[in-house]
Amino acid sequence: MEITATVTAIGPHAISQTDPLVILFGQEATPELADVSVIQTFDQPAQQKQLVLHHGDHIYINDIKFRISAVGSLTNANLQQIGHATLMFQPVPNEDRLGNAVYLVPTARPTFTVGTTIRYVMND
């Protein structure tokens, strides 16, 4: 199954040159959250409720393929309800994993712009 979202806004403090993460939120993000987030809109909102990511699935950001190396315990519920996840472009830590994180390989963070396509590709 493949579910697609499009970046519709990028908060002025969303992309750090030093932090290896990108916070995603849906359109319902408060102004405070939108300030530090990349806002995504799902192309088919009904499909958002079916979004369940697992280790080994893939996320394509502007056609750059990333393999999911770990998914936090809160991630899928938050993605389904409010379009929220934290994309981590770093190795999975042995301890202190973020509950809402999706750890991705390779760890080079791609460029996000308004119009960027995010494709969630789940193995059936």
Side-chain angles (χ1 to χ4, degrees):
M1 173 182 270
E2 182 175 311
I3 297 173
T4 304
T6 303
V7 172
T8 54
I10 299 174
H13 300 104
I15 307 294
S16 165
Q17 297 304 316
T18 56
D19 288 334
L21 59 87
V22 173
I23 300 169
L24 298 176
F25 259 101
Q27 299 288 68
E28 302 81 17
T30 64
E32 295 81 14
L33 290 172
D35 183 68
V36 296
S37 300
V38 171
I39 305 300
Q40 63 178 340
T41 301
F42 287 88
D43 295 355
Q44 308 248 338
Q47 286 187 333
Q48 179 180 348
K49 305 293 185 209
Q50 301 170 7
L51 192 51
V52 180
L53 301 176
H54 298 287
H55 174 272
D57 289 344
H58 294 91
I59 295 177
Y60 290 79
I61 302 168
N62 279 337
D63 294 324
I64 301 171
K65 183 178 183 179
F66 294 87
R67 185 178 53 80
I68 297 174
S69 54
V71 177
S73 60
L74 305 173
T75 302
N76 287 318
N78 283 338
L79 271 170
Q80 291 170 4
Q81 294 170 11
I82 57 175
H84 173 50
T86 303
L87 302 180
M88 302 295 293
F89 298 93
Q90 67 180 41
V92 180
N94 292 327
E95 298 177 2
D96 296 329
R97 291 183 188 179
L98 292 178
N100 202 53
V102 179
Y103 291 88
L104 300 170
V105 178
T107 57
R109 187 180 61 212
T111 300
F112 286 84
T113 60
V114 171
T116 289
T117 300
I118 303 171
R119 291 188 296 136
Y120 301 90
V121 181
M122 294 154 286
N123 300 323
D124 293 328

